[in-house]
């Protein structure tokens, strides 16, 4: 069935008209008119609190966005995902990261088979392995216990694990060292291994496909590094390498025993895989109980998303507000600003989650879109960002909606630090919304020539997500919140948020260029003149060491 073009829907048209009214209004005015706005435009779900009152919206905006959700069939689309329907249409796959955190007794079927049972079987296998590594029962080739765990993976097989390790470092076993190698740039491998003893090092090769160039290159370098230390004794591989993959054949080809392989399934997208066996490094770091708490948190958010009415539904609100800011107020980015240092890799993780999902130019049925899709997500932890790029957010010419993330309790209390941190996050959102007028600046006795420089226009939107404490459960909720917000955006835009064809062309071209860089004799190049010239120049620079 062909869907109606998005821009022809009554709610879309009404939002377009309504945005003209909103654009003329200032948040100062909207707050002055409604004394309870700061309480009214809030929602609480699965233990997370969202204050979205500092968005450039009115009650009418929210009503129309809900209408848009209805006209784009959001509820049914959510239900279809949870039912295991093949909503990733271009790859003909179900999208079931929610099954990764479903309780043991849940039933979710793909092609008639209950996948929850398999999920828990893998979780049990992971837990048993993680416990053996953590307790020292799992020994390296020379009988020494493992002290270093290196995850080799890229994209979703790296960003989730790195982010979760950093976020939950507080809960991790500090006697173990964790490193993450992703880049095909040899520096990544060399720096990660230079001070480690191979006899105490375990490599987790994480790759859904087990064919990714970067990961396989690093995996082969890891094997060579290990075998150098053990005089080529290939038996060492079994004690120092495990794999996480959907591709058992390729894992065996690499020489990793199937017993040391942790599987997952094609219905788990790479960027949605941190709750699968891809999280093995996380589980070794924080232990199986904390890992299960992470899953429980995500599941709580899944249930909230599946059941809460739209006006109280955090992922739906966050997603719809992103649509509003992107399509009706012309914002091109979203800054994600965690005021929690442990979340320092969260923006990097979100970049793949959001942009690989919603960076699409055609609808699910292949029609070019005539509206903006996925905005650019980026960010840094506060307060560091304040002394870097916030100037542009406050006084630049672009509209940059911000998501501030903060916690009531620090994991590592230290004097006044936490109150100072939280004072900053609240102050930033306040300054962005209300700014500072010419009159206010003049009243401070500022010389006339400086007045324009010191004026803050305000009216710059932000959300604040407030939670109690960064626990494994809270992290699970936060990740699921953004996963589902991405879903909501993709559902409205009618795009396939679960494929990633855009990364293919570069991969193919690189494979073509590799032999042209490595061949001894000068290759006959057939690229454009720029690429040809760069290849010739690189070859000649390479010769002159
Ligand atoms: O960048 C493309 C991509 O396919 C991502 O979606 C994925 O997370 C990453 O590569 C790694 O893939 P794999 O886990 O198969 O090595």
């Amino acid at each position: 069935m062909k869907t109606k073009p998005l821009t022809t829907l009554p709610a879309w048209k009404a939002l377009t008209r309504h945005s003209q009214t909103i654009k003329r209004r200032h948040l100062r005015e909207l707050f002055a008119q409604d004394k309870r706005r700061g309480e009214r435009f809030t929602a609480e779900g699965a233990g997370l609190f969202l204050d979205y009152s500092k968005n450039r919206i009115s009650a009418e905006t929210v009503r129309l966005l809900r209408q848009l959700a209805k006209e784009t069939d959001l509820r049914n689309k959510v239900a279809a995902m949870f039912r295991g329907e093949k909503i990733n249409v271009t790859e003909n796959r179900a999208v079931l990261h929610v099954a990764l955190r479903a309780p043991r007794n849940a039933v979710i079927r793909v092609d008639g088979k209950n996948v929850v049972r398999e999920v828990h079987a893998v979780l049990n296998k992971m837990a048993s392995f993680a416990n053996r590594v953590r307790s020292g029962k799992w020994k390296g080739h020379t009988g020494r216990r493992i002290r270093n765990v290196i995850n080799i993976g890229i994209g979703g097989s790296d960003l989730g694990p790195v982010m979760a390790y950093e976020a939950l470092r507080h809960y991790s076993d500090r006697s173990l060292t964790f490193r993450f190698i992703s880049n095909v740039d040899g520096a990544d491998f060399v720096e990660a291994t230079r001070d480690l003893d191979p006899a105490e090092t375990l490599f987790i090769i994480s790759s859904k496909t087990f064919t990714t160039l970067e990961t396989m290159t690093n995996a082969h370098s890891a094997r060579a590094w290990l075998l150098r230390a053990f005089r080529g004794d290939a038996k060492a591989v079994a004690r120092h390498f495990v794999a996480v993959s959907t591709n058992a054949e390729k894992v065996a080809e690499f020489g990793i025993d199937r017993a040391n392989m942790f599987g997952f399934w094609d219905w788990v997208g790479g960027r949605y895989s941190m709750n699968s066996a891809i999280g093995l490094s996380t589980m070794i770091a924080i232990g199986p109980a904390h890992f299960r708490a992470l899953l429980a948190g995500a599941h709580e958010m899944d249930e909230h998303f599946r059941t809460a009415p739209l006006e109280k539904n955090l992922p739906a609100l966050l997603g719809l507000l992103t649509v509003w800011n992107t399509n009706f107020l012309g914002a091109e980015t979203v800054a994600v600003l965690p005021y929690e240092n442990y979340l320092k890799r969260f923006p990097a993780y979100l970049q793949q989650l959001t942009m690989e999902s919603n960076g699409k130019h055609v609808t699910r049925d292949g029609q070019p879109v005539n509206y903006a899709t996925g905005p650019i997500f980026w960010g840094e932890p506060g307060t560091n960002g304040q002394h870097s790029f916030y100037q542009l957010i406050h006084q630049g010419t672009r509209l940059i909606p911000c998501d501030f993330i903060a916690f009531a309790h620090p994991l590592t209390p230290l004097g006044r630090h936490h109150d100072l941190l939280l004072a900053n996050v609240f102050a930033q959102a306040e300054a962005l919304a209300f700014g500072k007028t010419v009159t206010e600046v003049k009243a401070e006795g500022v010389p006339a020539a400086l007045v324009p420089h010191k004026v803050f226009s305000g009216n710059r939107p932000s959300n604040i997500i407030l939670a109690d404490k960064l626990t494994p459960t809270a992290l699970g909720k936060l990740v699921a919140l953004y996963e589902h917000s991405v879903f909501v955006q993709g559902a409205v835009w009618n795009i396939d948020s679960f494929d990633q064809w855009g990364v293919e062309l570069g991969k193919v071209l690189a494979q073509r260029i590799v032999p042209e860089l490595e061949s001894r004799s000068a290759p006959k190049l057939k690229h454009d003149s720029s690429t040809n010239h760069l290849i010739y120049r690189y070859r000649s620079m390479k010769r002159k060491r």
Side-chain angles (χ1 to χ4, degrees), residues 47-48 167-168 170-171 340 343 406-413 418 466-478:
L48 299 187
L168 301 175
H170 178 76
Y171 303 86
E340 169 53 81
L343 284 181
F407 297 86
H409 298 283
L411 289 174
T412 47
H418 200 65
L466 193 58
D468 195 51
K469 192 174 176 177
L470 180 53
T471 57
T473 315
L475 183 68
K477 293 173 184 179
L478 203 55

Coordinates of all heavy atoms in Angstrom, one line a residue, residues 47-48 167-168 170-171 340 343 406-413 418 466-478:
G47 N 11.4 6.3 35.2 CA 12.4 6.8 36.1 C 13.2 8.0 35.5 O 14.1 8.5 36.2
L48 N 13.0 8.4 34.3 CA 13.7 9.5 33.7 C 12.7 10.7 33.7 O 11.5 10.5 33.4 CB 14.2 9.3 32.3 CG 15.3 8.1 32.1 CD1 15.8 8.2 30.7 CD2 16.4 8.3 33.1
A167 N 31.0 4.7 30.5 CA 29.8 5.2 31.4 C 29.8 4.4 32.7 O 29.4 5.0 33.7 CB 28.5 5.0 30.6
L168 N 30.1 3.1 32.6 CA 30.0 2.3 33.8 C 31.3 1.9 34.5 O 31.3 1.0 35.2 CB 29.1 1.1 33.4 CG 27.7 1.4 32.9 CD1 27.0 0.1 32.4 CD2 26.9 2.2 33.9
H170 N 32.8 3.1 36.8 CA 32.7 3.2 38.2 C 32.3 1.8 38.8 O 32.7 1.5 39.9 CB 31.5 4.2 38.6 CG 31.3 4.3 40.1 ND1 32.1 5.0 40.9 CD2 30.3 3.8 40.8 CE1 31.6 4.9 42.1 NE2 30.5 4.2 42.1
Y171 N 31.6 1.0 38.0 CA 31.1 -0.3 38.5 C 32.1 -1.4 38.0 O 31.8 -2.6 38.2 CB 29.7 -0.6 37.9 CG 28.7 0.4 38.3 CD1 28.6 1.6 37.5 CD2 28.0 0.3 39.5 CE1 27.7 2.6 37.9 CE2 27.1 1.3 39.8 CZ 26.9 2.4 39.0 OH 26.0 3.4 39.4
E340 N 27.8 14.8 33.0 CA 28.2 13.6 33.7 C 29.4 13.1 32.9 O 29.3 12.7 31.8 CB 27.1 12.6 33.7 CG 27.4 11.2 34.2 CD 28.1 11.2 35.5 OE1 27.3 11.3 36.5 OE2 29.3 11.1 35.6
L343 N 29.8 10.0 30.9 CA 29.1 9.8 29.7 C 29.8 10.5 28.5 O 29.2 10.9 27.5 CB 27.7 10.4 29.8 CG 26.6 9.6 30.5 CD1 25.3 10.3 30.5 CD2 26.5 8.2 29.9
A406 N 21.5 15.2 32.9 CA 22.1 15.4 34.2 C 21.6 14.4 35.2 O 20.5 13.9 35.0 CB 21.9 16.8 34.7
F407 N 22.3 14.2 36.3 CA 21.9 13.3 37.4 C 21.9 14.0 38.7 O 22.8 14.8 39.0 CB 22.9 12.1 37.4 CG 22.9 11.3 36.1 CD1 23.7 11.7 35.0 CD2 22.0 10.2 36.0 CE1 23.6 11.0 33.8 CE2 22.0 9.5 34.8 CZ 22.8 9.9 33.7
A408 N 21.0 13.6 39.5 CA 20.9 14.3 40.9 C 22.1 13.9 41.8 O 22.5 14.7 42.6 CB 19.6 13.9 41.5
H409 N 22.5 12.6 41.6 CA 23.6 12.2 42.5 C 24.8 11.8 41.7 O 24.8 11.1 40.7 CB 23.1 10.9 43.3 CG 22.0 11.2 44.2 ND1 22.1 11.8 45.4 CD2 20.7 10.9 44.0 CE1 20.9 11.9 45.9 NE2 20.0 11.4 45.1
P410 N 26.0 12.3 42.2 CA 27.2 12.0 41.5 C 27.7 10.6 41.9 O 27.3 10.1 43.0 CB 28.2 13.0 42.0 CG 27.7 13.3 43.4 CD 26.2 13.2 43.3
L411 N 28.4 9.9 41.1 CA 29.0 8.6 41.4 C 30.2 8.8 42.3 O 30.5 7.9 43.1 CB 29.4 7.8 40.2 CG 28.2 7.3 39.3 CD1 28.7 6.7 38.0 CD2 27.4 6.3 40.1
T412 N 30.8 9.9 42.2 CA 32.0 10.1 43.0 C 31.9 11.5 43.6 O 32.5 12.4 43.2 CB 33.3 10.1 42.0 OG1 32.9 10.9 40.9 CG2 33.6 8.7 41.5
P413 N 31.2 11.6 44.7 CA 31.0 12.9 45.4 C 32.3 13.5 45.8 O 33.2 12.8 46.2 CB 30.2 12.6 46.6 CG 29.6 11.2 46.4 CD 30.6 10.5 45.5
H418 N 29.5 18.7 42.6 CA 28.2 18.3 41.9 C 27.2 19.5 41.8 O 26.6 19.7 40.8 CB 27.6 17.1 42.5 CG 26.7 16.4 41.6 ND1 27.1 15.8 40.4 CD2 25.3 16.3 41.6 CE1 26.0 15.4 39.8 NE2 24.9 15.6 40.5
L466 N 16.7 14.5 33.3 CA 17.2 14.4 34.6 C 16.9 13.0 35.2 O 15.8 12.6 35.1 CB 16.5 15.5 35.5 CG 17.1 15.8 36.9 CD1 18.6 16.3 36.7 CD2 16.3 17.0 37.5
A467 N 18.0 12.4 35.7 CA 17.8 11.1 36.3 C 18.5 11.1 37.7 O 19.2 12.1 38.1 CB 18.4 10.0 35.4
D468 N 18.2 10.0 38.4 CA 18.7 10.0 39.8 C 20.3 9.8 39.9 O 20.9 10.6 40.5 CB 18.0 8.9 40.5 CG 18.2 9.0 42.0 OD1 17.9 10.1 42.5 OD2 18.6 8.0 42.6
K469 N 20.7 8.8 39.2 CA 22.2 8.5 39.3 C 22.5 7.6 38.1 O 21.7 6.8 37.6 CB 22.3 7.7 40.6 CG 23.7 7.4 41.1 CD 23.6 6.8 42.4 CE 25.0 6.4 42.9 NZ 25.0 5.8 44.2
L470 N 23.8 7.8 37.6 CA 24.2 7.0 36.5 C 24.5 5.5 36.9 O 25.6 5.2 37.2 CB 25.4 7.6 35.8 CG 25.9 6.8 34.6 CD1 24.8 6.6 33.5 CD2 27.1 7.6 33.9
T471 N 23.4 4.7 37.0 CA 23.6 3.3 37.3 C 23.5 2.5 36.0 O 23.1 3.1 35.0 CB 22.4 2.8 38.2 OG1 21.2 3.1 37.5 CG2 22.4 3.5 39.5
P472 N 23.9 1.2 36.0 CA 23.7 0.4 34.8 C 22.2 0.5 34.3 O 21.9 0.6 33.1 CB 24.0 -1.0 35.2 CG 25.0 -0.8 36.3 CD 24.5 0.4 37.1
T473 N 21.3 0.5 35.2 CA 19.8 0.6 34.9 C 19.5 1.9 34.2 O 18.9 1.9 33.1 CB 18.9 0.4 36.1 OG1 19.4 -0.6 36.9 CG2 17.5 0.2 35.8
A474 N 20.1 3.0 34.7 CA 19.8 4.3 34.1 C 20.4 4.4 32.8 O 19.8 5.0 31.8 CB 20.4 5.4 35.1
L475 N 21.6 3.8 32.6 CA 22.2 3.9 31.2 C 21.3 3.1 30.2 O 21.1 3.6 29.1 CB 23.6 3.3 31.3 CG 24.3 3.4 29.9 CD1 24.6 4.8 29.5 CD2 25.6 2.6 29.9
G476 N 20.8 1.9 30.7 CA 19.9 1.2 29.8 C 18.7 2.0 29.3 O 18.4 2.0 28.2
K477 N 18.2 2.7 30.3 CA 17.0 3.6 30.0 C 17.4 4.7 29.0 O 16.6 5.0 28.1 CB 16.5 4.2 31.3 CG 15.9 3.2 32.2 CD 15.5 3.9 33.5 CE 15.0 2.8 34.5 NZ 14.7 3.4 35.8
L478 N 18.5 5.3 29.2 CA 18.9 6.4 28.4 C 19.2 6.0 27.0 O 18.7 6.6 26.0 CB 20.2 7.0 29.0 CG 20.6 8.4 28.7 CD1 19.5 9.4 29.1 CD2 21.8 8.8 29.5

